[in-house]
Structures are given as structure tokens and as C-alpha cells.
Amino acid sequence: MFDLASLFSREPAPLVGVDVSASSVKVVELSRSRAGQLVLERCALEPLERGWIVDGNIEKFDEVADAVRRVVRKAGSKTRNAALALPASSVITRKIVLPGGLSDAEMEIQVESEANQYIPFSLDEVSLDFCVAGPCDTSPGDVEVLIAASRKEKVQDRQGLAEAAGLKPVVVDIEAYASRAAAARLVDVALPGHSVESLVALFEIGATATGMQIIRNGETLYERDQAFGGAQLTQMIARQYGFSADEAELKKRTADLPEDYAEAVLRPFVNSMTQEISRALQYFFTSTPHNRVDRILLAGGTASIAGLTDAVTDQTAFACSVANPFEGMEFGSAIRASKITREAPSYLTATGLALRRFFQ
């Protein structure tokens, strides 16, 4: 079992969501008002340099740990309990069917026995956890159980990052699960009139890859990764203007770019990004009975670049909008609303992690 609380911790105490991605560390802390409204109390973002995290692996632990310390200090949070996440590529998940009515001890024995069939490592080398997903639709009296397993060193790396910042890691989630939780809440508050059968295509545009999830009623029907992301825009800037990669990234973040940038660089990138999104949807349509989605949501730092949502709508004929995970929330006194509006799409996963305080 997990040495920390686990993928499916029931820890009820307040906590801060800490999202460590290839390009930055994000922190989100939520509370509830007396009326039950979600309140964004604190959030902060700290960029990471290229190469510190590669394909979800922490290559420069000390540097990333320093960044986590800085972002926690920047956020000003006093909460010590933290929820972190592993990339989906680091976690093996399977759903199995077990008899209903088993005790916790009996279920643990059954899960470990079943896990041997799916995990290509010794159970001594992995952190393993499970949760009951619900009754089995096809087998009355049985239950569906979700198994999740990851190499222990992957879990310990995340645990170490939190501890280096003075945090106590109490939840280790999966990034896609956390972003899906935040997106499901967003659908409820931002898409009035939607039904439980509505299909939402969530695209998370990362530095080097874009992940797509097709979500219906809070569950993922389909997922796919595309090897295309915001780093391509940085590379295009560097080539166009002769900047180094670091100079190009800095100028992209500060919008300190030549007058012809929008036409010479941004428009071609938007066209390429739009084609990638359209291609991912076509893969979904050709491999499932579905031929449409009800809404496209774009998340990640690149999601809010000018013209992207309109281009996606024009290309796909489906309504597209930027995923603002803070929509429908009240803002605490420490939040600068103008800054948050620009950065909000970057905080989807961190928000999903912070929501574990309320929806565990």
C-alpha cells in the first residue's frame, strides 16, 4: 500500500493542491464560504526551466524542490497538508470485478492477487491502492474496484518535493483524474442546460504534449495524447528571431515580441494547434460510435493565446472555450482578479487537487 495517504485518501483536513508539470509548479488553496460557495483563497505559479522534468520524471530534484518552496512561499499558504499528482504515464490503473460484501482485509487480499496479473513489477516495488468504484452493471451483487499502482520511487519523489517545502503529502492523485474533477465541476457551473449525456472534450495543452479526455457525466470515455504543445511556439519564436530557447521562452511569457509576431509566428502556431486538436477528435470519432462533442474546453498556459478558441470552433464546428477552473468561485482577499483571469487555464490540475478537500 502507499506509504503516504494514497491515491484514494479520505483525509478530511484542509489541504493545498500542488501541481508539478514540465513547465511550472502551481499551487491552489480553496475554502468554502458560510453559504457553501467555493472560495479561491490562494494560488501561485513558479516557472521551471527546460529539462528539470522530462516525460514526468524529475531530472533535477533539488532545483524543482526549490521551486516548490518558492511557490508555496509566494502563495502565502499556512496549510501544511498537500495533495499532489503523478502523470498518468507513471500509474497503471485497472478496473476489476469483485464480490460485494467483502471486508477491507478480504478485499485487499483479492486486489493484491488480481494486481499480479496487470503489474509488470514485483508488488514489493510498487505502491498499490484501490477504491470501490460502485456496483457492477453487468454482474448483480458484485462491485467494480479501481486498482492503481505506481513504482515506489515515483511516489517518493512527489512526497519528497512536498516535504522539502515543509508540506505534509496526504493525497497522491493522478493528474488526469485531478484535471477531470476540476473540469466536471466547471461543466456544472459554466455550461447551464447540459445533460449527463453531454460529451465534453478537454484538451490540456502542456509544454511538449497535449492530452485529450472525452468526459461524460464525470467519467472519461476516451483519452489520447498528442506530441504537440506550447514548447513548439517557443521554438518557432527562437527560429524566427534568432533568440536562444531561454530568451524565446522569456519573451513569450512577457509578451516582449516584435510587431510582426502575430502574423509571422502566432497565426501559424494557432493553425498547427487547431489541426492537432481536430486530428485528435477525428481519432475519437473513428474509434467510437460517437460523431460529435457538445463542447471543447482548452486548458494549460497556451490555452488562452489570442485566436485559438475561435480557430478551433471554425475548424471543428464545435463550441470551444477556455477552461477557467475558478469560474463560479468567490475570490479571497489575497487574490488579484486581473492576474488570475490570464493565468487561470494553467491551474486546472492544481484546482482538481485542491478540490480533494471537499470531494474525497
PDB file of all heavy atoms in Angstrom, residues 237-276:
ATOM      1  N   ILE A 237       9.384  30.940 -32.176  1.00  0.00           N
ATOM      2  CA  ILE A 237       9.878  32.281 -31.860  1.00  0.00           C
ATOM      3  C   ILE A 237      11.394  32.333 -31.984  1.00  0.00           C
ATOM      4  O   ILE A 237      11.964  33.275 -32.561  1.00  0.00           O
ATOM      5  CB  ILE A 237       9.433  32.688 -30.441  1.00  0.00           C
ATOM      6  CG1 ILE A 237       7.915  32.864 -30.381  1.00  0.00           C
ATOM      7  CG2 ILE A 237      10.134  33.974 -29.995  1.00  0.00           C
ATOM      8  CD1 ILE A 237       7.369  33.034 -28.976  1.00  0.00           C
ATOM      9  N   ALA A 238      12.049  31.302 -31.438  1.00  0.00           N
ATOM     10  CA  ALA A 238      13.518  31.262 -31.487  1.00  0.00           C
ATOM     11  C   ALA A 238      14.017  31.234 -32.928  1.00  0.00           C
ATOM     12  O   ALA A 238      14.975  31.952 -33.288  1.00  0.00           O
ATOM     13  CB  ALA A 238      14.017  30.042 -30.712  1.00  0.00           C
ATOM     14  N   ARG A 239      13.383  30.422 -33.778  1.00  0.00           N
ATOM     15  CA  ARG A 239      13.824  30.322 -35.175  1.00  0.00           C
ATOM     16  C   ARG A 239      13.560  31.630 -35.937  1.00  0.00           C
ATOM     17  O   ARG A 239      14.395  32.083 -36.721  1.00  0.00           O
ATOM     18  CB  ARG A 239      13.103  29.175 -35.863  1.00  0.00           C
ATOM     19  CG  ARG A 239      13.596  27.795 -35.473  1.00  0.00           C
ATOM     20  CD  ARG A 239      13.137  26.752 -36.480  1.00  0.00           C
ATOM     21  NE  ARG A 239      11.681  26.710 -36.592  1.00  0.00           N
ATOM     22  CZ  ARG A 239      10.898  25.899 -35.881  1.00  0.00           C
ATOM     23  NH1 ARG A 239      11.447  25.069 -35.006  1.00  0.00           N
ATOM     24  NH2 ARG A 239       9.592  25.915 -36.046  1.00  0.00           N
ATOM     25  N   GLN A 240      12.409  32.211 -35.704  1.00  0.00           N
ATOM     26  CA  GLN A 240      12.022  33.409 -36.460  1.00  0.00           C
ATOM     27  C   GLN A 240      12.922  34.591 -36.155  1.00  0.00           C
ATOM     28  O   GLN A 240      13.283  35.360 -37.060  1.00  0.00           O
ATOM     29  CB  GLN A 240      10.570  33.762 -36.142  1.00  0.00           C
ATOM     30  CG  GLN A 240      10.045  34.991 -36.866  1.00  0.00           C
ATOM     31  CD  GLN A 240       9.798  34.760 -38.345  1.00  0.00           C
ATOM     32  OE1 GLN A 240       9.734  33.604 -38.784  1.00  0.00           O
ATOM     33  NE2 GLN A 240       9.701  35.822 -39.114  1.00  0.00           N
ATOM     34  N   TYR A 241      13.317  34.738 -34.890  1.00  0.00           N
ATOM     35  CA  TYR A 241      14.024  35.948 -34.483  1.00  0.00           C
ATOM     36  C   TYR A 241      15.464  35.714 -34.029  1.00  0.00           C
ATOM     37  O   TYR A 241      16.139  36.652 -33.607  1.00  0.00           O
ATOM     38  CB  TYR A 241      13.240  36.652 -33.378  1.00  0.00           C
ATOM     39  CG  TYR A 241      11.828  37.002 -33.803  1.00  0.00           C
ATOM     40  CD1 TYR A 241      10.733  36.376 -33.211  1.00  0.00           C
ATOM     41  CD2 TYR A 241      11.594  37.931 -34.806  1.00  0.00           C
ATOM     42  CE1 TYR A 241       9.435  36.678 -33.599  1.00  0.00           C
ATOM     43  CE2 TYR A 241      10.297  38.236 -35.208  1.00  0.00           C
ATOM     44  CZ  TYR A 241       9.229  37.605 -34.613  1.00  0.00           C
ATOM     45  OH  TYR A 241       7.950  37.907 -35.014  1.00  0.00           O
ATOM     46  N   GLY A 242      15.930  34.475 -34.106  1.00  0.00           N
ATOM     47  CA  GLY A 242      17.317  34.201 -33.748  1.00  0.00           C
ATOM     48  C   GLY A 242      17.594  34.237 -32.263  1.00  0.00           C
ATOM     49  O   GLY A 242      18.744  34.427 -31.846  1.00  0.00           O
ATOM     50  N   PHE A 243      16.556  34.038 -31.444  1.00  0.00           N
ATOM     51  CA  PHE A 243      16.748  34.013 -29.998  1.00  0.00           C
ATOM     52  C   PHE A 243      17.229  32.632 -29.566  1.00  0.00           C
ATOM     53  O   PHE A 243      17.006  31.634 -30.243  1.00  0.00           O
ATOM     54  CB  PHE A 243      15.437  34.309 -29.263  1.00  0.00           C
ATOM     55  CG  PHE A 243      14.852  35.657 -29.538  1.00  0.00           C
ATOM     56  CD1 PHE A 243      13.474  35.827 -29.602  1.00  0.00           C
ATOM     57  CD2 PHE A 243      15.659  36.769 -29.720  1.00  0.00           C
ATOM     58  CE1 PHE A 243      12.911  37.068 -29.851  1.00  0.00           C
ATOM     59  CE2 PHE A 243      15.114  38.023 -29.971  1.00  0.00           C
ATOM     60  CZ  PHE A 243      13.731  38.168 -30.047  1.00  0.00           C
ATOM     61  N   SER A 244      17.869  32.580 -28.384  1.00  0.00           N
ATOM     62  CA  SER A 244      18.106  31.290 -27.762  1.00  0.00           C
ATOM     63  C   SER A 244      16.776  30.767 -27.230  1.00  0.00           C
ATOM     64  O   SER A 244      15.794  31.520 -27.127  1.00  0.00           O
ATOM     65  CB  SER A 244      19.097  31.425 -26.606  1.00  0.00           C
ATOM     66  OG  SER A 244      18.519  32.141 -25.529  1.00  0.00           O
ATOM     67  N   ALA A 245      16.735  29.490 -26.888  1.00  0.00           N
ATOM     68  CA  ALA A 245      15.489  28.908 -26.382  1.00  0.00           C
ATOM     69  C   ALA A 245      15.045  29.611 -25.102  1.00  0.00           C
ATOM     70  O   ALA A 245      13.844  29.882 -24.913  1.00  0.00           O
ATOM     71  CB  ALA A 245      15.669  27.415 -26.135  1.00  0.00           C
ATOM     72  N   ASP A 246      15.987  29.915 -24.221  1.00  0.00           N
ATOM     73  CA  ASP A 246      15.629  30.586 -22.967  1.00  0.00           C
ATOM     74  C   ASP A 246      15.127  32.005 -23.215  1.00  0.00           C
ATOM     75  O   ASP A 246      14.168  32.460 -22.579  1.00  0.00           O
ATOM     76  CB  ASP A 246      16.840  30.628 -22.023  1.00  0.00           C
ATOM     77  CG  ASP A 246      17.191  29.250 -21.472  1.00  0.00           C
ATOM     78  OD1 ASP A 246      16.304  28.368 -21.480  1.00  0.00           O
ATOM     79  OD2 ASP A 246      18.341  29.058 -21.044  1.00  0.00           O
ATOM     80  N   GLU A 247      15.793  32.723 -24.168  1.00  0.00           N
ATOM     81  CA  GLU A 247      15.332  34.070 -24.499  1.00  0.00           C
ATOM     82  C   GLU A 247      13.924  34.037 -25.088  1.00  0.00           C
ATOM     83  O   GLU A 247      13.072  34.866 -24.750  1.00  0.00           O
ATOM     84  CB  GLU A 247      16.292  34.710 -25.510  1.00  0.00           C
ATOM     85  CG  GLU A 247      17.633  35.131 -24.954  1.00  0.00           C
ATOM     86  CD  GLU A 247      18.568  35.625 -26.034  1.00  0.00           C
ATOM     87  OE1 GLU A 247      18.510  35.098 -27.164  1.00  0.00           O
ATOM     88  OE2 GLU A 247      19.345  36.547 -25.751  1.00  0.00           O
ATOM     89  N   ALA A 248      13.689  33.068 -25.971  1.00  0.00           N
ATOM     90  CA  ALA A 248      12.374  32.957 -26.609  1.00  0.00           C
ATOM     91  C   ALA A 248      11.289  32.677 -25.575  1.00  0.00           C
ATOM     92  O   ALA A 248      10.193  33.245 -25.638  1.00  0.00           O
ATOM     93  CB  ALA A 248      12.404  31.861 -27.671  1.00  0.00           C
ATOM     94  N   GLU A 249      11.580  31.793 -24.610  1.00  0.00           N
ATOM     95  CA  GLU A 249      10.594  31.474 -23.580  1.00  0.00           C
ATOM     96  C   GLU A 249      10.288  32.697 -22.728  1.00  0.00           C
ATOM     97  O   GLU A 249       9.113  32.974 -22.403  1.00  0.00           O
ATOM     98  CB  GLU A 249      11.109  30.337 -22.702  1.00  0.00           C
ATOM     99  CG  GLU A 249      10.156  29.883 -21.614  1.00  0.00           C
ATOM    100  CD  GLU A 249       8.867  29.290 -22.155  1.00  0.00           C
ATOM    101  OE1 GLU A 249       8.877  28.763 -23.286  1.00  0.00           O
ATOM    102  OE2 GLU A 249       7.837  29.356 -21.445  1.00  0.00           O
ATOM    103  N   LEU A 250      11.326  33.454 -22.364  1.00  0.00           N
ATOM    104  CA  LEU A 250      11.119  34.650 -21.539  1.00  0.00           C
ATOM    105  C   LEU A 250      10.293  35.691 -22.289  1.00  0.00           C
ATOM    106  O   LEU A 250       9.354  36.280 -21.730  1.00  0.00           O
ATOM    107  CB  LEU A 250      12.465  35.242 -21.135  1.00  0.00           C
ATOM    108  CG  LEU A 250      12.405  36.538 -20.307  1.00  0.00           C
ATOM    109  CD1 LEU A 250      11.669  36.297 -18.996  1.00  0.00           C
ATOM    110  CD2 LEU A 250      13.809  37.074 -20.049  1.00  0.00           C
ATOM    111  N   LYS A 251      10.603  35.900 -23.565  1.00  0.00           N
ATOM    112  CA  LYS A 251       9.876  36.895 -24.349  1.00  0.00           C
ATOM    113  C   LYS A 251       8.436  36.458 -24.590  1.00  0.00           C
ATOM    114  O   LYS A 251       7.528  37.293 -24.658  1.00  0.00           O
ATOM    115  CB  LYS A 251      10.610  37.162 -25.663  1.00  0.00           C
ATOM    116  CG  LYS A 251      11.910  37.941 -25.480  1.00  0.00           C
ATOM    117  CD  LYS A 251      12.607  38.217 -26.784  1.00  0.00           C
ATOM    118  CE  LYS A 251      13.867  39.045 -26.568  1.00  0.00           C
ATOM    119  NZ  LYS A 251      13.567  40.414 -26.049  1.00  0.00           N
ATOM    120  N   LYS A 252       8.210  35.149 -24.703  1.00  0.00           N
ATOM    121  CA  LYS A 252       6.845  34.662 -24.847  1.00  0.00           C
ATOM    122  C   LYS A 252       6.040  34.943 -23.577  1.00  0.00           C
ATOM    123  O   LYS A 252       4.887  35.384 -23.643  1.00  0.00           O
ATOM    124  CB  LYS A 252       6.856  33.155 -25.144  1.00  0.00           C
ATOM    125  CG  LYS A 252       5.469  32.555 -25.355  1.00  0.00           C
ATOM    126  CD  LYS A 252       5.538  31.068 -25.694  1.00  0.00           C
ATOM    127  CE  LYS A 252       5.787  30.225 -24.461  1.00  0.00           C
ATOM    128  NZ  LYS A 252       5.632  28.767 -24.753  1.00  0.00           N
ATOM    129  N   ARG A 253       6.642  34.703 -22.426  1.00  0.00           N
ATOM    130  CA  ARG A 253       5.941  34.912 -21.156  1.00  0.00           C
ATOM    131  C   ARG A 253       5.660  36.375 -20.886  1.00  0.00           C
ATOM    132  O   ARG A 253       4.637  36.726 -20.292  1.00  0.00           O
ATOM    133  CB  ARG A 253       6.761  34.323 -20.002  1.00  0.00           C
ATOM    134  CG  ARG A 253       6.789  32.806 -19.965  1.00  0.00           C
ATOM    135  CD  ARG A 253       7.704  32.308 -18.870  1.00  0.00           C
ATOM    136  NE  ARG A 253       7.708  30.848 -18.801  1.00  0.00           N
ATOM    137  CZ  ARG A 253       8.584  30.137 -18.093  1.00  0.00           C
ATOM    138  NH1 ARG A 253       9.520  30.757 -17.402  1.00  0.00           N
ATOM    139  NH2 ARG A 253       8.527  28.823 -18.065  1.00  0.00           N
ATOM    140  N   THR A 254       6.581  37.256 -21.312  1.00  0.00           N
ATOM    141  CA  THR A 254       6.430  38.689 -21.025  1.00  0.00           C
ATOM    142  C   THR A 254       5.787  39.448 -22.174  1.00  0.00           C
ATOM    143  O   THR A 254       5.571  40.662 -22.069  1.00  0.00           O
ATOM    144  CB  THR A 254       7.809  39.312 -20.709  1.00  0.00           C
ATOM    145  OG1 THR A 254       8.684  39.129 -21.840  1.00  0.00           O
ATOM    146  CG2 THR A 254       8.421  38.660 -19.476  1.00  0.00           C
ATOM    147  N   ALA A 255       5.483  38.744 -23.271  1.00  0.00           N
ATOM    148  CA  ALA A 255       4.879  39.362 -24.465  1.00  0.00           C
ATOM    149  C   ALA A 255       5.771  40.455 -25.043  1.00  0.00           C
ATOM    150  O   ALA A 255       5.280  41.421 -25.660  1.00  0.00           O
ATOM    151  CB  ALA A 255       3.495  39.909 -24.147  1.00  0.00           C
ATOM    152  N   ASP A 256       7.079  40.299 -24.891  1.00  0.00           N
ATOM    153  CA  ASP A 256       8.046  41.265 -25.414  1.00  0.00           C
ATOM    154  C   ASP A 256       8.542  40.763 -26.773  1.00  0.00           C
ATOM    155  O   ASP A 256       9.645  40.242 -26.913  1.00  0.00           O
ATOM    156  CB  ASP A 256       9.209  41.409 -24.419  1.00  0.00           C
ATOM    157  CG  ASP A 256      10.267  42.372 -24.910  1.00  0.00           C
ATOM    158  OD1 ASP A 256       9.949  43.208 -25.785  1.00  0.00           O
ATOM    159  OD2 ASP A 256      11.424  42.276 -24.436  1.00  0.00           O
ATOM    160  N   LEU A 257       7.696  40.932 -27.789  1.00  0.00           N
ATOM    161  CA  LEU A 257       7.974  40.342 -29.100  1.00  0.00           C
ATOM    162  C   LEU A 257       7.821  41.379 -30.205  1.00  0.00           C
ATOM    163  O   LEU A 257       7.100  42.378 -30.049  1.00  0.00           O
ATOM    164  CB  LEU A 257       7.036  39.162 -29.345  1.00  0.00           C
ATOM    165  CG  LEU A 257       7.318  37.956 -28.436  1.00  0.00           C
ATOM    166  CD1 LEU A 257       6.104  37.050 -28.319  1.00  0.00           C
ATOM    167  CD2 LEU A 257       8.510  37.175 -28.967  1.00  0.00           C
ATOM    168  N   PRO A 258       8.497  41.172 -31.350  1.00  0.00           N
ATOM    169  CA  PRO A 258       8.427  42.134 -32.461  1.00  0.00           C
ATOM    170  C   PRO A 258       7.013  42.325 -32.989  1.00  0.00           C
ATOM    171  O   PRO A 258       6.114  41.515 -32.757  1.00  0.00           O
ATOM    172  CB  PRO A 258       9.337  41.499 -33.521  1.00  0.00           C
ATOM    173  CG  PRO A 258      10.278  40.634 -32.744  1.00  0.00           C
ATOM    174  CD  PRO A 258       9.471  40.095 -31.601  1.00  0.00           C
ATOM    175  N   GLU A 259       6.822  43.396 -33.754  1.00  0.00           N
ATOM    176  CA  GLU A 259       5.491  43.767 -34.231  1.00  0.00           C
ATOM    177  C   GLU A 259       4.884  42.721 -35.157  1.00  0.00           C
ATOM    178  O   GLU A 259       3.660  42.585 -35.224  1.00  0.00           O
ATOM    179  CB  GLU A 259       5.555  45.117 -34.955  1.00  0.00           C
ATOM    180  CG  GLU A 259       5.821  46.296 -34.022  1.00  0.00           C
ATOM    181  CD  GLU A 259       5.775  47.618 -34.763  1.00  0.00           C
ATOM    182  OE1 GLU A 259       5.500  47.598 -35.991  1.00  0.00           O
ATOM    183  OE2 GLU A 259       6.017  48.664 -34.134  1.00  0.00           O
ATOM    184  N   ASP A 260       5.735  41.998 -35.890  1.00  0.00           N
ATOM    185  CA  ASP A 260       5.195  41.027 -36.843  1.00  0.00           C
ATOM    186  C   ASP A 260       4.927  39.659 -36.211  1.00  0.00           C
ATOM    187  O   ASP A 260       4.595  38.706 -36.916  1.00  0.00           O
ATOM    188  CB  ASP A 260       6.133  40.864 -38.037  1.00  0.00           C
ATOM    189  CG  ASP A 260       7.462  40.196 -37.654  1.00  0.00           C
ATOM    190  OD1 ASP A 260       7.790  40.158 -36.436  1.00  0.00           O
ATOM    191  OD2 ASP A 260       8.160  39.715 -38.561  1.00  0.00           O
ATOM    192  N   TYR A 261       5.059  39.559 -34.887  1.00  0.00           N
ATOM    193  CA  TYR A 261       4.910  38.268 -34.204  1.00  0.00           C
ATOM    194  C   TYR A 261       3.550  37.619 -34.477  1.00  0.00           C
ATOM    195  O   TYR A 261       3.469  36.427 -34.788  1.00  0.00           O
ATOM    196  CB  TYR A 261       5.118  38.464 -32.695  1.00  0.00           C
ATOM    197  CG  TYR A 261       4.611  37.328 -31.842  1.00  0.00           C
ATOM    198  CD1 TYR A 261       5.276  36.097 -31.822  1.00  0.00           C
ATOM    199  CD2 TYR A 261       3.469  37.487 -31.049  1.00  0.00           C
ATOM    200  CE1 TYR A 261       4.812  35.054 -31.037  1.00  0.00           C
ATOM    201  CE2 TYR A 261       3.008  36.442 -30.259  1.00  0.00           C
ATOM    202  CZ  TYR A 261       3.675  35.229 -30.259  1.00  0.00           C
ATOM    203  OH  TYR A 261       3.203  34.199 -29.484  1.00  0.00           O
ATOM    204  N   ALA A 262       2.484  38.396 -34.372  1.00  0.00           N
ATOM    205  CA  ALA A 262       1.142  37.821 -34.520  1.00  0.00           C
ATOM    206  C   ALA A 262       0.957  37.163 -35.872  1.00  0.00           C
ATOM    207  O   ALA A 262       0.378  36.072 -35.973  1.00  0.00           O
ATOM    208  CB  ALA A 262       0.081  38.902 -34.304  1.00  0.00           C
ATOM    209  N   GLU A 263       1.455  37.808 -36.917  1.00  0.00           N
ATOM    210  CA  GLU A 263       1.255  37.276 -38.266  1.00  0.00           C
ATOM    211  C   GLU A 263       2.301  36.228 -38.637  1.00  0.00           C
ATOM    212  O   GLU A 263       1.979  35.190 -39.247  1.00  0.00           O
ATOM    213  CB  GLU A 263       1.302  38.424 -39.279  1.00  0.00           C
ATOM    214  CG  GLU A 263       0.835  38.054 -40.668  1.00  0.00           C
ATOM    215  CD  GLU A 263      -0.638  37.682 -40.708  1.00  0.00           C
ATOM    216  OE1 GLU A 263      -1.414  38.227 -39.890  1.00  0.00           O
ATOM    217  OE2 GLU A 263      -1.016  36.845 -41.544  1.00  0.00           O
ATOM    218  N   ALA A 264       3.559  36.471 -38.258  1.00  0.00           N
ATOM    219  CA  ALA A 264       4.646  35.605 -38.706  1.00  0.00           C
ATOM    220  C   ALA A 264       4.789  34.338 -37.884  1.00  0.00           C
ATOM    221  O   ALA A 264       5.249  33.308 -38.397  1.00  0.00           O
ATOM    222  CB  ALA A 264       5.973  36.384 -38.678  1.00  0.00           C
ATOM    223  N   VAL A 265       4.388  34.382 -36.599  1.00  0.00           N
ATOM    224  CA  VAL A 265       4.616  33.245 -35.703  1.00  0.00           C
ATOM    225  C   VAL A 265       3.321  32.728 -35.074  1.00  0.00           C
ATOM    226  O   VAL A 265       3.019  31.535 -35.128  1.00  0.00           O
ATOM    227  CB  VAL A 265       5.622  33.616 -34.584  1.00  0.00           C
ATOM    228  CG1 VAL A 265       5.834  32.435 -33.638  1.00  0.00           C
ATOM    229  CG2 VAL A 265       6.940  34.064 -35.175  1.00  0.00           C
ATOM    230  N   LEU A 266       2.564  33.637 -34.469  1.00  0.00           N
ATOM    231  CA  LEU A 266       1.399  33.191 -33.698  1.00  0.00           C
ATOM    232  C   LEU A 266       0.347  32.533 -34.582  1.00  0.00           C
ATOM    233  O   LEU A 266      -0.192  31.475 -34.235  1.00  0.00           O
ATOM    234  CB  LEU A 266       0.791  34.359 -32.932  1.00  0.00           C
ATOM    235  CG  LEU A 266      -0.350  33.996 -31.977  1.00  0.00           C
ATOM    236  CD1 LEU A 266       0.115  32.987 -30.935  1.00  0.00           C
ATOM    237  CD2 LEU A 266      -0.909  35.243 -31.303  1.00  0.00           C
ATOM    238  N   ARG A 267       0.029  33.159 -35.720  1.00  0.00           N
ATOM    239  CA  ARG A 267      -1.007  32.579 -36.582  1.00  0.00           C
ATOM    240  C   ARG A 267      -0.633  31.184 -37.079  1.00  0.00           C
ATOM    241  O   ARG A 267      -1.468  30.270 -37.002  1.00  0.00           O
ATOM    242  CB  ARG A 267      -1.306  33.496 -37.753  1.00  0.00           C
ATOM    243  CG  ARG A 267      -2.361  32.903 -38.692  1.00  0.00           C
ATOM    244  CD  ARG A 267      -2.724  33.826 -39.810  1.00  0.00           C
ATOM    245  NE  ARG A 267      -3.500  34.968 -39.331  1.00  0.00           N
ATOM    246  CZ  ARG A 267      -4.021  35.890 -40.148  1.00  0.00           C
ATOM    247  NH1 ARG A 267      -3.840  35.805 -41.454  1.00  0.00           N
ATOM    248  NH2 ARG A 267      -4.719  36.886 -39.637  1.00  0.00           N
ATOM    249  N   PRO A 268       0.611  30.948 -37.560  1.00  0.00           N
ATOM    250  CA  PRO A 268       0.965  29.575 -37.959  1.00  0.00           C
ATOM    251  C   PRO A 268       0.889  28.577 -36.805  1.00  0.00           C
ATOM    252  O   PRO A 268       0.485  27.428 -36.997  1.00  0.00           O
ATOM    253  CB  PRO A 268       2.397  29.718 -38.479  1.00  0.00           C
ATOM    254  CG  PRO A 268       2.502  31.138 -38.916  1.00  0.00           C
ATOM    255  CD  PRO A 268       1.656  31.909 -37.957  1.00  0.00           C
ATOM    256  N   PHE A 269       1.270  29.019 -35.609  1.00  0.00           N
ATOM    257  CA  PHE A 269       1.173  28.116 -34.454  1.00  0.00           C
ATOM    258  C   PHE A 269      -0.277  27.786 -34.144  1.00  0.00           C
ATOM    259  O   PHE A 269      -0.619  26.617 -33.889  1.00  0.00           O
ATOM    260  CB  PHE A 269       1.836  28.737 -33.226  1.00  0.00           C
ATOM    261  CG  PHE A 269       1.620  27.928 -31.973  1.00  0.00           C
ATOM    262  CD1 PHE A 269       2.377  26.789 -31.728  1.00  0.00           C
ATOM    263  CD2 PHE A 269       0.635  28.287 -31.052  1.00  0.00           C
ATOM    264  CE1 PHE A 269       2.161  26.025 -30.583  1.00  0.00           C
ATOM    265  CE2 PHE A 269       0.418  27.528 -29.906  1.00  0.00           C
ATOM    266  CZ  PHE A 269       1.183  26.391 -29.682  1.00  0.00           C
ATOM    267  N   VAL A 270      -1.141  28.784 -34.142  1.00  0.00           N
ATOM    268  CA  VAL A 270      -2.569  28.552 -33.882  1.00  0.00           C
ATOM    269  C   VAL A 270      -3.131  27.582 -34.915  1.00  0.00           C
ATOM    270  O   VAL A 270      -3.900  26.670 -34.572  1.00  0.00           O
ATOM    271  CB  VAL A 270      -3.341  29.881 -33.877  1.00  0.00           C
ATOM    272  CG1 VAL A 270      -4.851  29.626 -33.935  1.00  0.00           C
ATOM    273  CG2 VAL A 270      -2.996  30.693 -32.643  1.00  0.00           C
ATOM    274  N   ASN A 271      -2.751  27.746 -36.174  1.00  0.00           N
ATOM    275  CA  ASN A 271      -3.223  26.831 -37.218  1.00  0.00           C
ATOM    276  C   ASN A 271      -2.767  25.401 -36.940  1.00  0.00           C
ATOM    277  O   ASN A 271      -3.544  24.445 -37.085  1.00  0.00           O
ATOM    278  CB  ASN A 271      -2.725  27.284 -38.586  1.00  0.00           C
ATOM    279  CG  ASN A 271      -3.402  28.554 -39.061  1.00  0.00           C
ATOM    280  OD1 ASN A 271      -4.474  28.916 -38.576  1.00  0.00           O
ATOM    281  ND2 ASN A 271      -2.776  29.253 -39.992  1.00  0.00           N
ATOM    282  N   SER A 272      -1.508  25.242 -36.542  1.00  0.00           N
ATOM    283  CA  SER A 272      -0.981  23.903 -36.243  1.00  0.00           C
ATOM    284  C   SER A 272      -1.668  23.295 -35.032  1.00  0.00           C
ATOM    285  O   SER A 272      -2.037  22.114 -35.034  1.00  0.00           O
ATOM    286  CB  SER A 272       0.534  23.973 -36.011  1.00  0.00           C
ATOM    287  OG  SER A 272       1.217  24.381 -37.177  1.00  0.00           O
ATOM    288  N   MET A 273      -1.873  24.115 -33.984  1.00  0.00           N
ATOM    289  CA  MET A 273      -2.526  23.624 -32.781  1.00  0.00           C
ATOM    290  C   MET A 273      -3.958  23.205 -33.089  1.00  0.00           C
ATOM    291  O   MET A 273      -4.437  22.156 -32.617  1.00  0.00           O
ATOM    292  CB  MET A 273      -2.525  24.738 -31.721  1.00  0.00           C
ATOM    293  CG  MET A 273      -3.052  24.323 -30.356  1.00  0.00           C
ATOM    294  SD  MET A 273      -1.835  23.410 -29.395  1.00  0.00           S
ATOM    295  CE  MET A 273      -2.529  21.774 -29.426  1.00  0.00           C
ATOM    296  N   THR A 274      -4.629  23.996 -33.902  1.00  0.00           N
ATOM    297  CA  THR A 274      -6.008  23.686 -34.281  1.00  0.00           C
ATOM    298  C   THR A 274      -6.082  22.372 -35.055  1.00  0.00           C
ATOM    299  O   THR A 274      -6.990  21.554 -34.832  1.00  0.00           O
ATOM    300  CB  THR A 274      -6.581  24.837 -35.127  1.00  0.00           C
ATOM    301  OG1 THR A 274      -6.563  26.034 -34.355  1.00  0.00           O
ATOM    302  CG2 THR A 274      -8.004  24.540 -35.559  1.00  0.00           C
ATOM    303  N   GLN A 275      -5.144  22.154 -35.947  1.00  0.00           N
ATOM    304  CA  GLN A 275      -5.110  20.910 -36.710  1.00  0.00           C
ATOM    305  C   GLN A 275      -4.876  19.705 -35.802  1.00  0.00           C
ATOM    306  O   GLN A 275      -5.474  18.637 -36.000  1.00  0.00           O
ATOM    307  CB  GLN A 275      -4.041  20.986 -37.792  1.00  0.00           C
ATOM    308  CG  GLN A 275      -4.382  21.951 -38.914  1.00  0.00           C
ATOM    309  CD  GLN A 275      -3.215  22.218 -39.839  1.00  0.00           C
ATOM    310  OE1 GLN A 275      -2.186  21.544 -39.769  1.00  0.00           O
ATOM    311  NE2 GLN A 275      -3.358  23.206 -40.707  1.00  0.00           N
ATOM    312  N   GLU A 276      -4.018  19.868 -34.805  1.00  0.00           N
ATOM    313  CA  GLU A 276      -3.769  18.776 -33.857  1.00  0.00           C
ATOM    314  C   GLU A 276      -5.033  18.443 -33.066  1.00  0.00           C
ATOM    315  O   GLU A 276      -5.350  17.261 -32.829  1.00  0.00           O
ATOM    316  CB  GLU A 276      -2.640  19.152 -32.903  1.00  0.00           C
ATOM    317  CG  GLU A 276      -1.267  19.259 -33.540  1.00  0.00           C
ATOM    318  CD  GLU A 276      -0.732  17.928 -34.023  1.00  0.00           C
ATOM    319  OE1 GLU A 276      -1.091  16.884 -33.432  1.00  0.00           O
ATOM    320  OE2 GLU A 276       0.047  17.914 -34.991  1.00  0.00           O
TER     321      GLU A 276
END
